[in-house]
Each structure stands twice: as structure tokens, then as C-alpha cells.
Amino acid sequence: MDSDAFDLILQQKPARVLLAVSREGGTYASVISREIESTFSHTTNILGKLEEQGIVMFEQDGSDNRVKRVELTQKGEATAALVEELSAVLDGKKTGKKGTAGKKTKKAASRKDAGNYGEKLEMIKARIELISGEELEGRGSISQEDYVRIGRRLGPYRRELRKIMESGGKEDVKKAGGLDGEIEKVFGERERLRG
């Protein structure tokens, strides 16, 4: 086990940065700073450490060399899923399904990606289940704030699924379509609970 990465992720701010990048699905340090209520310099310092651990990566955004988007790597996606699951367990929002998202993540991460989107689809499936359980399970109604947050959390996955449906192989397109249908069901439930 890489103890540096372990120690980093189990700190409050780095975990919140990781989850913010995960929810936004590719964003900027300034957006993350606002979301986690941290200074820009502290956030960029954390992002630099996460990059050193291979958890996030920076991509140039357009022609401006100064503006860089931050995104999760495959290792980062797997880590974020496990941190979200741990958070749900600690908050008492997840019980009974001990480690299922983590097992799916480990299984997906151990496979070689031979030109298909299998690993990404498994990750998205686990995230949809996790978000649905956290946000909607056992609730009689939701607020406007909840409604918007659910959309923000699932929106990036829906965009990823649409990309896969446009460029993936036949089997991947079929799986992505099914997962897009699952997101649509969550959105339908979200609409129903909003009243």
C-alpha cells in the first residue's frame, strides 16, 4: 500500500477535493475552492499532491496555457468511488451492501481495457447506484437544493454515457444506453419527490 496516498486521501480537505472533482466530472481549481470553502492556493496545493499520486490530471483548456481543467484518472475514479462509499457508510446512509461498489471497482480496475469502455461503464454503474441510494432512498420529498445537487452529481455521468453511445462498440453502446435509462429513472424519481 502507498502510505503517502493513503494518508493524503484520509484527510478532510483532500477527500473533499477528490469528491468535488468526481462530482463535477472535469472542472477547475477555482470551482473546487468555492465548493469546499478553501483558498485557491490551498486547493491547488492539494491538487498538486493528488496529481503526484496519480489520482488527478490536468489538461489544458483551449488556447490559454494558464487555464487547466482537472479530471480524475482511472485510479482517481476508483479512489473517489471508495471514498464516497466510505462516507455513505460513516453517515449511516449505506447499510447491508457491504463493499459492493468497491468490489465492482476493484474488479473493473483489474481488467485490461482492450479498446472498450467496460471499466468506465462499471464505474458509472456503481456511481449511479451510490448517488441514487444517498440522495433518494427512504425519502418522502426533496428540496430544490437536493434536486439541483442530484442533477449536478449525475450530469457528468450522463455526458460520459452519451460519448460512449456515440463512439463505443455495439456491446458498450448497449450497456451505456441501459445505464442512461437508469439515470433517467433516478431523474424521474427526483421529479416525483420534488412534489
Side-chain angles (χ1 to χ4, degrees):
M1 170 174 41
D2 185 342
S3 64
D4 289 340
F6 184 78
D7 292 342
L8 176 66
I9 294 303
L10 290 182
Q11 294 177 44
Q12 182 186 28
K13 288 289 184 181
R16 291 180 68 201
V17 167
L18 176 67
L19 295 177
V21 175
S22 175
R23 277 192 296 274
E24 296 296 326
T27 189
Y28 305 94
S30 58
V31 173
I32 297 166
S33 294
R34 283 191 301 271
E35 187 169 324
I36 70 165
E37 299 174 353
S38 179
T39 65
F40 180 77
S41 63
H42 186 57
T43 302
T44 56
N45 184 31
I46 292 169
L47 287 168
K49 290 177 182 177
L50 291 173
E51 183 182 33
E52 288 172 12
Q53 296 298 327
I55 293 170
V56 300
M57 63 184 170
F58 291 94
E59 292 186 355
Q60 193 171 314
D61 193 20
S63 60
D64 187 347
N65 290 336
R66 296 170 299 165
V67 179
K68 293 184 180 175
R69 290 174 57 83
V70 61
E71 297 192 15
L72 294 177
T73 62
Q74 287 182 338
K75 178 180 176 181
E77 288 175 357
T79 304
L82 292 171
V83 170
E84 279 192 13
E85 184 175 352
L86 175 62
S87 176
V89 169
L90 293 174
D91 289 343
K93 294 179 182 175
K94 184 170 177 92
T95 57
K97 296 181 181 178
K98 295 182 180 174
T100 56
K103 288 179 186 172
K104 290 178 189 175
T105 301
K106 287 178 186 172
K107 181 179 176 185
S110 68
R111 289 189 311 217
K112 296 289 182 196
D113 189 5
N116 65 30
Y117 295 99
E119 183 176 331
K120 186 170 273 195
L121 289 166
E122 284 295 315
M123 176 65 67
I124 292 172
K125 179 180 178 184
R127 300 303 287 280
I128 293 168
E129 291 171 359
L130 181 70
I131 292 167
S132 175
E134 286 179 356
E135 299 285 0
L136 301 174
E137 198 172 286
R139 295 180 104 183
S141 65
I142 60 171
S143 67
Q144 179 64 25
E145 184 180 295
D146 295 333
Y147 183 90
V148 170
R149 185 180 58 249
I150 293 166
R152 279 186 36 219
R153 290 183 73 186
L154 286 173
Y157 300 113
R158 184 161 236 191
R159 287 190 290 277
E160 276 301 312
L161 290 170
R162 300 250 163 98
K163 287 180 190 174
I164 293 170
M165 288 188 277
E166 290 172 7
S167 61
K170 187 176 181 178
E171 192 61 33
D172 295 326
V173 169
K174 183 178 175 182
K175 287 178 185 176
L179 291 175
D180 191 59
E182 290 300 313
I183 290 178
E184 193 59 41
K185 286 179 190 175
V186 174
F187 282 168
E189 182 65 6
R190 173 184 77 153
E191 192 67 40
R192 187 186 72 76
L193 290 175
R194 185 169 71 159

